[in-house]
Amino acid sequence: SFSAFAVFAFWSGALVAARVVSDPCVVLQNAAEKGMTMPAVGIGTGGYGAPAETWNDGVAMKAVSTWIKLGGRRIDTAWDYYDQTGIGKAVQAAISSGAVKREDLFIVSKTHMLPGYNDTLFQLEDSLKQLQVEYVDLFLIHLYVPLPNATDPNCRPGRSDLEPACVKSTWKAMKEIFMRGRKGGARSVGVSNFALSHLGYISDDEVQPSVNQVEYQPYWHEEDLVEFCRNRNITFNGYSPLGTPDFGPRARNWNCSLLELPLVKSIATAHNKSSAQVLLRWNWQQGIPVNPRSEQEEHMKENLAAILDKTFHLTDSEMHALSNISPKPKCPKVCSACTPNT
């Protein structure tokens, strides 16, 4: 494992320090247990249980079981991924077999959209039941778009201040969930897909998010959002680091392959690594933890090795080239509702 050290990222021509500790992990601050750390690499499970897709709850159970067997410890899911029951079965099987203890795992779940106060509490409690755990390690507001049928009057259409009012009311529930901690709540709470304006709605709150999980890869990287988060001790967590080559094309004709990009392939060849490992390393050398999705054991091994291999480092010129791909293809974000810095 890594000893405590600082990872330095090539970032807009400057070196930016990110606090990193052993295993490797990142230290969570703000709305997080004191001294809490989060593993740098996790398994994303978005889509495993999505209706009308080829994945299902059983696929999630198998994938998470494999991930735990290989030494993966962070598991990223959500109330609206439709896979938490399968993940819960995998987690309980691993604990019952003695392979891991509950405290060895870092389980992340999220709300469905921006639910408002009461629905946020309900979704957390329902997630705990599905996952068969007493608490999650991190619970996130999934999106800044209000839930259409929210019971919270602060989140109902017709308000001129709908978005900020709903964010503030939802965040109130998140703070309550954090206060519950390991007794029916979460060890840390944060947000996902929040741009600068959305973070601004709660910027004056005495309790700040511990994490902002946002799509992050060479086609989409928002430096000012990352800087904003770091200045406020909010851990920036990148999802879809590979551009979701398996899910995107079926979902919305997302046909921009990062894995086949000549630049990525040439760097991979130079280091005797896979294209996926290059993309994950590009994130991690910026101090950004990742949660790539995979069903295949070999890919999971590669994902772990990309972060754990202490001999694997991209050069400054390689980091710069990946951050400045030109021309960029006209690809939407995987999260098509999420637009940068708005």
Side-chain angles (χ1 to χ4, degrees):
S1 64
F2 285 36
S3 57
F5 69 104
V7 169
F8 292 96
F10 189 91
W11 189 263
S12 298
L15 291 174
V16 180
R19 190 181 178 196
V20 180
V21 295
S22 60
D23 290 333
C25 299
V26 292
V27 175
L28 298 188
Q29 300 181 71
N30 299 334
E33 283 185 358
K34 186 176 181 179
M36 183 177 179
T37 61
M38 181 176 79
V41 60
I43 184 170
T45 67
Y48 282 164
E53 288 292 343
T54 58
W55 298 308
N56 54 53
D57 221 30
V59 172
M61 181 171 65
K62 181 179 179 182
V64 170
S65 295
T66 302
W67 179 248
I68 294 173
K69 179 189 72 174
L70 295 174
R73 293 296 178 259
R74 179 157 61 90
I75 303 159
D76 187 278
T77 185
W79 188 81
D80 55 0
Y81 283 177
Y82 307 100
D83 61 10
Q84 293 190 135
T85 299
I87 291 172
K89 291 178 180 177
V91 166
Q92 289 308 310
I95 293 173
S96 297
S97 70
V100 293
K101 297 177 181 178
R102 169 63 186 93
E103 55 266 31
D104 296 330
L105 301 175
F106 193 103
I107 300 174
V108 184
S109 188
K110 314 176 194 73
T111 65
H112 175 43
M113 303 179 69
L114 183 65
Y117 182 81
N118 289 329
D119 290 320
T120 295
L121 297 178
F122 166 77
Q123 290 177 16
L124 177 277
E125 290 159 6
D126 192 51
S127 291
L128 296 181
K129 291 177 183 177
Q130 293 182 52
L131 292 164
Q132 301 181 58
V133 293
E134 294 183 5
Y135 63 90
V136 290
D137 298 276
L138 174 62
F139 196 58
L140 304 175
I141 299 174
H142 206 163
L143 188 62
Y144 55 83
V145 178
L147 190 68
N149 59 346
T151 61
D152 189 335
N154 293 294
C155 300
R156 291 174 185 161
R159 293 184 61 114
S160 60
D161 62 343
L162 173 61
E163 196 173 88
C166 191
V167 167
K168 290 177 181 179
S169 188
T170 302
W171 187 242
K172 180 180 178 181
M174 296 295 283
K175 291 190 292 183
E176 182 175 321
I177 288 167
F178 174 51
M179 291 301 294
R180 295 181 188 179
R182 301 188 188 215
K183 297 180 179 180
R187 297 175 61 215
S188 60
V189 295
V191 297
S192 180
N193 297 308
F194 270 41
L196 296 174
S197 61
H198 311 123
L199 290 169
Y201 297 148
I202 54 174
S203 62
D204 60 350
D205 196 295
E206 61 181 10
V207 179
Q208 289 295 291
S210 63
V211 170
N212 187 16
Q213 187 182 112
V214 179
E215 180 176 350
Y216 197 84
Q217 29 95 345
Y219 289 157
W220 283 103
H221 49 97
E222 301 162 51
E223 288 90 342
D224 48 355
L225 179 58
V226 174
E227 182 180 5
F228 181 95
C229 289
R230 284 181 171 157
N231 287 340
R232 289 158 179 78
N233 296 319
I234 301 170
T235 294
F236 189 96
N237 175 198
Y239 73 77
S240 296
L242 312 180
T244 59
D246 56 340
F247 182 64
R250 297 201 305 277
R252 54 184 62 89
N253 196 31
W254 199 97
N255 58 1
C256 305
S257 177
L258 284 164
L259 297 177
E260 296 301 319
L261 198 68
L263 171 64
V264 176
K265 293 175 73 173
S266 66
I267 294 174
T269 299
H271 290 274
N272 194 28
K273 299 291 183 181
S274 69
S275 292
Q277 288 178 309
V278 168
L279 294 168
L280 296 178
R281 194 72 199 182
W282 175 80
N283 276 267
W284 184 233
Q285 284 185 213
Q286 297 174 61
I288 295 175
V290 292
N291 29 280
R293 181 177 64 244
S294 179
E295 298 176 51
Q296 300 180 32
E297 183 169 343
E298 286 306 310
H299 289 169
M300 293 182 197
K301 290 178 181 177
E302 286 186 358
N303 295 343
L304 286 166
I307 307 302
L308 295 170
D309 185 353
K310 292 185 285 186
T311 67
F312 179 29
H313 296 282
L314 300 177
T315 65
D316 283 354
S317 62
E318 290 168 338
M319 291 290 292
H320 181 77
L322 289 167
S323 298
N324 293 276
I325 295 172
S326 182
K328 283 186 171 67
K330 294 182 179 179
C331 297
K333 277 191 167 186
V334 173
C335 175
S336 58
C338 313
T339 53
N341 304 331
T342 58

